[in-house]
Amino acid sequence: MTPSVLFVCVKNGGKSQMAAALMRQYAGEKMTVYSAGTQPGSAVNAESAQAVEEVGATMAGEHPKPIDPTLLDTVDRVVILGGDAVIDPAGTAPIERWETDEPSARGIEGAQRMRLIRDDIRKRVAALAEDLIKS
């Protein structure tokens, strides 16, 4: 059976979309990937999209969406990105939180900020993919 993961952040426009795009790129058909937000925004963050495109991944066709509660019972893992998103752990999927690098706390903004966030998420995605695919 193909493992699955749900990436969650608040707006589902940046970090969770980046993680999903990078996981699709890394795992391809070996993983089913979802992303959602606790308070979905109106659009995907353009700087986030550009940052993942620089490494060959894509957010094309994606848009912010709310959490589908049925996914909390059906995915193999839920990953919450950042410290702001909170979900009701009513589902049965294991939940983990990734406190991702936040370069803006060090005064780093714009494209450089997004690249650092992308690289942090990318490393975590690779480790998660290896863990779920071998299970």
Side-chain angles (χ1 to χ4, degrees):
M1 188 168 162
T2 304
S4 57
V5 61
L6 168 63
F7 293 106
V8 176
C9 67
V10 175
K11 293 184 181 178
N12 190 226
K15 293 177 183 178
S16 59
Q17 290 281 1
M18 291 174 84
L22 292 165
M23 181 62 84
R24 284 188 211 97
Q25 178 192 36
Y26 187 88
E29 298 294 317
K30 296 178 185 174
M31 181 88 59
T32 302
V33 181
Y34 305 95
S35 72
T38 57
Q39 298 172 0
S42 59
V44 168
N45 180 296
E47 286 183 337
S48 296
Q50 181 179 351
V52 298
E53 287 171 5
E54 290 175 357
V55 296
T58 183
M59 294 182 192
E62 292 297 323
H63 63 279
K65 50 201 153 303
I67 297 170
D68 175 348
T70 61
L71 288 176
L72 299 176
D73 287 322
T74 59
V75 296
D76 295 297
R77 191 81 49 93
V78 175
V79 177
I80 302 170
L81 287 97
D84 296 331
V86 177
I87 63 171
D88 178 5
T92 57
I95 298 172
E96 62 185 76
R97 183 178 299 273
W98 292 354
E99 292 289 348
T100 55
D101 180 34
E102 186 41 73
S104 65
R106 302 186 304 275
I108 301 170
E109 297 293 339
Q112 184 180 6
R113 172 182 175 257
M114 283 302 162
R115 288 181 188 116
L116 291 168
I117 292 170
R118 174 203 63 209
D119 293 345
D120 181 27
I121 292 172
R122 195 175 188 197
K123 289 177 198 166
R124 295 168 188 253
V125 159
L128 178 61
E130 294 302 319
D131 181 48
L132 289 175
I133 291 169
K134 75 176 181 183
S135 297

